[in-house]
Amino acid sequence: MDDQILILGGGPAGMAAAMELSRAGKTPTVIEKASALGGLAKTLKFEEPDGTYLTDIGPHRFFSKNKYLYDFIENLLGEEWIRVRRQTRFYVDGKYYFYPIRLGNVLKQMGPFKAARVLFDYLYERVRKMIKPREMRSFEDYVVTQFGRTLAEFNMLNYTEKIWGIPCSEISIDWALQRIGGLSIWSTLKKALFKKGGPKTLVDEFYYPSHGSGLIYETIKKRIEEKGSTVLTHSEPLKIRCEGKRITSVDVKTPEGTKTYAPPSVVCSIPVTEAVKLFDPPAPKEVLAAAKNLRFRAQAYLFLTINREFVTRDNWVYYPDKSIPFGRFSEMKNFSRFMSPPGKTSLFVEFFCFEGDGIWNMSKDELFTLAIEWFEKLKLLRKDEVLSVHHYKASHVYPIYDLLYKERLTTIMEYLDGFENFFAIGRPGRFRYTNQDHSLEMGILAARSIIEGRRMDIENVGKEKEYFERGFIPTEK
Ligand SMILES: Cc1cc2nc3c(=O)[nH]c(=O)nc-3n(C[C@H](O)[C@H](O)[C@H](O)COP(=O)(O)OP(=O)(O)OC[C@H]3O[C@@H](n4cnc5c(N)ncnc54)[C@H](O)[C@@H]3O)c2cc1C
């Protein structure tokens, strides 16, 4: 029996917990199912005849208002933590628009009639809000009220439906409040006109690790192993035994066979829908039923290496139109020159799907045929310029906030958070659409809860800002 703190899942949340525990002199054991660390923020490496290509699973811009996190990563990466200029565009009705918007570009591409329609619908919604306000339950209710129907349909409702695979009228308003809560026509215009004062998604520069976001997590692995921690890949928990309000032991499948741990605490960032099934004695029926009804949206990806200096100067290009099979592509070289060999570039193409559906089941060649047809139609790329194609899939990508998710999640979390030495963290672990920064914060707070012996509010990081405001104190490397 091993008695170290156990961390299930080696994504950003799990690795941040491991790093923070290690900084406090603990030697946790990380259990990761995959071969590499970093979860959805890992970086894949491809050795090709013309050199090495790197790609994230959808490149990871780092953005946070929490300075502690920048210092936390800076301490890991030093000069490998670079600043990148941001350029994002989206494609609607045959035209490209910059995001954050540039007023001249929008008016030119949209034309006066559509612009007038946007304004009319917006004013209509303002008047309606005063006379007969809409009931606000869904993402659609929120976006239409806030922006007017024409702008909502322009690039918000269709892209959101493409991501989630369900109508916006069936997506909880929580998603709108979490993602675009601070966004309005005025804040967007203010940003376009004055280049400052906009909401948090509209930043023109961001930080990025020079060799992909996975560098953060591989560096954590190296640091914590040097200090006595253990990281087991190709490993997963099989059973989580509990007695009363405590976890007593965990069976883990490892490449060397099944091991049993008696950890003082368990930090868990594996999908909550999977975790609840591992409990012995089993979780209550209502908890298991609630978990069965929570769904994740999946993604299939293509990574294309390309015999050209650049395809675009964009970081990301979005395709909200549902007739275009992919939702977005990114050009990795525009994040860091180290992502492609000299003279070549690459594209990472994202398809949204459900595990087991048509897109999920497509072979690499089928998916490539679908994609390249569109790349040629969009005049971005010719088939003969593609040097190699790689195919990758991820199943637990987006926790779906449908209209009933909150109730179900509360049932599950009340059960899990009831164990005094179990800490559910992260995007799949708390069924919360986090970005890297929020997952890192959750991991750090779980670790601090263990170190300080008091449970912090892992979900509502804002409530624990006092801890982060104390500032990051580097430990000796
Ligand atoms: C396409 C895409 C683009 C993104 N872009 C950005 C961006 O630009 N900026 C940003 O900040 N964030 C971005 N994100 C979000 C970011 O990837 C996530 O917030 C972050 O990875 C969540 O970290 P996590 O540790 O909570 O979960 P995950 O990354 O999902 O990590 C969970 C880990 O648990 C492991 N695991 C699962 N099941 C088991 C099991 N049974 N046993 C053991 N291990 C298991 C997984 O393999 C994984 O390593 C993006 C996400 C996607 C999908």
Side-chain angles (χ1 to χ4, degrees), residues 450-463:
I450 295 169
I451 296 160
E452 293 178 18
R454 75 172 176 100
R455 186 175 276 269
M456 293 176 141
D457 194 337
I458 290 170
E459 175 93 26
N460 303 304
V461 172
K463 292 201 182 138

Side-chain angles (χ1 to χ4, degrees), residues 8-14 31-34 36-42 57-63 235-237 269-271 274 299 301 316 328 348 350 396-398 425-429 434-437 439:
L8 307 177
I31 304 298
E32 169 56 49
K33 194 175 180 178
L37 298 157
L40 293 170
K42 72 167 74 113
I57 304 172
H60 280 60
R61 162 179 96 108
F62 190 87
F63 180 72
S235 300
E236 59 183 299
S269 66
I270 72 170
E274 303 293 313
Q299 278 194 307
Y301 313 101
W316 301 268
R328 171 168 86 161
F348 187 85
E350 297 173 41
H396 294 80
V397 181
Y398 295 97
I425 57 168
R427 177 154 158 156
T434 61
N435 275 330
Q436 243 183 142
D437 55 306
S439 279

